[in-house]
Amino acid sequence: MKNTLFTAPIAEQIWDKKYRFKEADGTPIDETVEDTWRRIARDLSRNELRHRKQFYRALEDFKYLPAGRITSGAGTG
């Protein structure tokens, strides 16, 4: 699925290769970058459920980009 939020093809390629959550066989779990933001917000707000929307709003539209380890690991078990 093509993500229209990326302004450059390389940005989408980096997200796909480094930060998109996938099954062991490479099948994407995060279908869109918004799914990635939701996964991160859900995991980081697990102890602050009432603030989940705030976590998501901070991430959406690339307003805030957590460190790569957070982006690739949050919510992946």
Side-chain angles (χ1 to χ4, degrees):
M1 177 180 285
K2 181 78 174 155
N3 284 279
T4 58
L5 295 173
F6 294 101
T7 57
I10 189 69
E12 186 170 2
Q13 292 168 6
I14 291 169
W15 166 73
D16 181 55
K17 292 189 182 302
K18 294 183 79 174
Y19 305 117
R20 187 182 210 180
F21 187 33
K22 298 178 182 179
E23 299 281 356
D25 68 359
T27 304
I29 295 172
D30 290 347
E31 292 292 328
T32 66
V33 71
E34 291 95 336
D35 292 337
T36 301
W37 296 334
R38 276 189 282 280
R39 171 177 52 84
I40 295 166
R42 191 172 38 251
D43 192 57
L44 297 183
S45 68
R46 68 182 173 265
N47 294 322
E48 294 289 337
L49 295 178
R50 64 183 179 201
H51 298 296
R52 183 165 290 166
K53 287 182 183 178
Q54 290 172 300
F55 277 87
Y56 181 84
R57 280 191 219 117
L59 296 164
E60 75 180 331
D61 297 326
F62 302 101
K63 286 181 249 167
Y64 174 75
L65 293 174
R69 291 180 181 175
I70 301 296
T71 302
S72 62
T76 65

